[in-house]
């Protein structure tokens, strides 16, 4: 999957203009209201942003992984709430379906996901199952032509917006660990499915995460992803590898924006009769940030190209996710430091970006999980 170079350039240029002309000016509105304006979401649909990773035969743009990374990097030069609207649909919310769904399931959902008619959510995390995803307790027990779903999912992005939930549940309670887990495509309007109110978070205002409670929710057997039990966890791991490259581009995009804010401030703010950007200690912070941004971009694009070449990239994806998200935290911290007292004030963008990027080191695998993935791959005999 990939667009030809000329078409892709036009598409990427459109995203760059959209970010500059529409998203950046709307950042304060999102921060104040905790909502992404509906007219902006509609423009995202018209730009095809919901269908970046969905194959053209199902109505998407069919971008390669490298192309997706470039677009997401551009999109994330604006507040991360905007990317969050499309993020689960582009990534973990649709890719399990693309990778392992039956043809009937793909025809039923992918065109509507690609157009943005419906938004998807990926339901893996639970109150007592986060990093240890194989210990999840949500169960789906076969009962005739249905499954009966019970359990609670936590911190589910876009749950309140979703028209489709990809739910990980244990279909064989006697099997511990990964082998008893299956994936289901669930309509959130199904009786017995309750979506809680939006969580209050440290940052990323405008994003929506919620708990989802399943109480004797009956779903048809045709909702079993791929039509095969016991494959859900393995599908999730495949999807997460891809998602970690996506999140690496989220991290480099917002890092570039934060660095632009820091450079602009250092070029204008004066102390002791000169601009602070002329002070060598400020220059050191800028230089360290630029080097880390460049390293993160290079790592991510290298891994994305290897993914497109069908190479095994589990370790590389973990390296990218670990490095770029940690670097985003350091870059944001330096940007606040360069701003001095102003960096602690809400009127300056770096204050909110500092809070926003903290989440990047937590979701889709914490930094510590990435370290485990990397080390275990290194030690394979």
């Amino acid at each position: 999957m990939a667009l030809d170079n000329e078409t892709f350039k036009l598409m990427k240029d459109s995203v760059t203009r959209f970010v500059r002309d529409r998203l950046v000016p709307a950042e304060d509105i999102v921060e104040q209201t905790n909502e992404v304006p509906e007219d902006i979401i509609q423009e995202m649909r018209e730009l095809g942003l919901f269908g970046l990773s969905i194959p053209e035969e199902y109505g998407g743009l069919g971008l390669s992984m490298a192309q997706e990374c470039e677009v997401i990097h551009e999109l994330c030069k604006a507040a991360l709430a905007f990317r969050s609207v499309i993020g689960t649909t582009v990534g973990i919310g649709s890719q399990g379906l693309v990778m392992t769904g039956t043809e009937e399931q793909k025809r039923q959902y992918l065109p509507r996901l690609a157009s943005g008619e419906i938004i998807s959510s990926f339901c893996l995390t639970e109150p007592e199952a986060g990093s240890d995803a194989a210990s999840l307790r949500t169960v789906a027990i076969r009962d005739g032509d249905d499954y009966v779903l019970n359990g609670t999912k936590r911190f589910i992005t876009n749950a309140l917006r979703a028209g489709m939930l990809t739910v990980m549940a244990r279909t064989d309670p006697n099997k511990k660990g990964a082998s008893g887990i299956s994936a289901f495509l669930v309509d959130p309007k199904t009786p017995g499915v309750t979506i809680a109110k939006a969580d209050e978070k440290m940052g990323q205002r405008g994003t929506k995460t919620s708990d989802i409670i399943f109480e004797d929710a009956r779903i048809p057997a045709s909702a079993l992803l791929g039509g095969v039990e016991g494959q859900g966890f393995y599908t999730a791991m495949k999807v997460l590898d891809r998602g970690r490259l996506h999140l690496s581009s989220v991290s480099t995009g917002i890092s570039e924006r934060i660095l632009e804010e820091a450079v602009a401030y250092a070029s204008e703010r004066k102390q002791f009769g000169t601009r602070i950007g002329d002070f060598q200690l400020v220059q050191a912070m800028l230089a360290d940030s630029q080097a880390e941004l460049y390293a993160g971009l290079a790592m991510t694009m290298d891994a994305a190209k290897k993914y497109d070449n069908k190479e095994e990239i589990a370790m590389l994806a973990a390296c990218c996710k670990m490095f770029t998200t940690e670097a985003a935290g350091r870059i944001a911290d330096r940007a606040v430091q360069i701003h001095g007292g102003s960096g602690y004030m809400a009127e300056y963008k770096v204050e909110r970006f500092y809070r926003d990027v903290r989440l990047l080191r937590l979701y889709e695998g914490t930094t510590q999980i990435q370290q485990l993935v990397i080390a275990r791959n290194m030690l394979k005999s």
Side-chain angles (χ1 to χ4, degrees), residues 160-284:
L160 286 165
R161 297 179 174 125
M164 185 196 83
L165 309 173
T166 301
V167 182
M168 298 293 156
R170 194 171 294 283
T171 44
D172 187 345
N174 296 319
K175 285 186 178 179
K176 304 302 180 184
S179 61
I181 298 172
S182 304
F184 294 88
L185 305 175
V186 178
D187 183 340
K189 295 179 181 178
T190 300
V193 178
T194 302
I195 299 178
K197 65 182 179 68
D199 299 317
E200 291 292 331
K201 301 185 293 300
M202 176 193 293
Q204 293 206 25
R205 288 180 60 77
T207 66
K208 300 294 180 181
T209 63
S210 309
D211 281 9
I212 305 180
I213 301 95
F214 302 96
E215 298 175 294
D216 292 329
R218 297 188 76 88
I219 54 177
S222 60
L224 176 65
L225 182 61
V228 180
E229 289 190 1
Q231 297 302 305
F233 182 84
Y234 305 107
T235 297
M237 293 304 101
K238 283 191 232 176
V239 170
L240 286 173
D241 282 344
R242 194 181 193 285
R244 285 166 182 165
L245 294 181
H246 178 107
L247 277 179
S248 297
S249 296
V250 172
S251 302
T252 59
I254 193 62
S255 292
E256 184 167 331
R257 170 67 186 286
I258 292 168
L259 191 51
E260 288 172 357
E261 296 283 338
V263 169
Y265 189 82
S267 299
E268 297 168 1
R269 174 67 169 162
K270 290 188 176 181
Q271 288 289 285
F272 307 104
T274 187
R275 64 177 188 170
I276 64 171
D278 291 330
F279 301 147
Q280 289 181 333
L281 292 177
V282 172
Q283 290 176 352

Side-chain angles (χ1 to χ4, degrees), residues 1-69:
M1 296 192 299
L3 290 182
D4 65 85
N5 290 338
E6 183 177 352
T7 304
F8 175 67
K9 183 179 184 305
L10 291 172
M11 188 265 172
K12 185 179 171 184
D13 288 346
S14 295
V15 173
T16 299
R17 288 192 300 272
F18 180 57
V19 169
R20 181 190 64 227
D21 298 339
R22 294 289 288 127
L23 301 190
V24 172
E27 287 174 336
D28 288 345
I29 295 172
V30 172
E31 187 71 14
Q32 292 159 10
T33 65
N34 198 24
E35 297 284 350
V36 177
E38 181 55 40
D39 61 330
I40 284 179
I41 296 176
Q42 181 56 34
E43 289 181 59
M44 290 180 170
R45 294 186 183 104
E46 293 166 3
L47 279 170
L49 293 179
F50 285 92
L52 295 180
S53 60
I54 294 173
E56 291 181 82
E57 65 183 294
Y58 300 107
L61 293 179
L63 299 189
S64 67
M65 189 72 241
Q67 289 175 337
E68 180 184 329
C69 286

Side-chain angles (χ1 to χ4, degrees), residues 363-380:
Y363 58 10
E364 293 196 34
T366 63
T367 293
Q368 288 66 41
I369 290 298
Q370 309 311 318
Q371 290 171 323
L372 292 177
V373 171
I374 295 163
R376 286 171 181 170
N377 274 274
M378 294 171 67
L379 293 168
K380 279 181 180 176

Side-chain angles (χ1 to χ4, degrees), residues 77-99:
K77 291 179 185 177
L80 297 183
F82 298 114
R83 194 281 323 180
S84 181
V85 173
I86 70 159
T88 48
T89 297
V90 168
I92 56 178
S94 70
Q95 290 307 295
L97 181 54
V98 171
M99 292 177 184

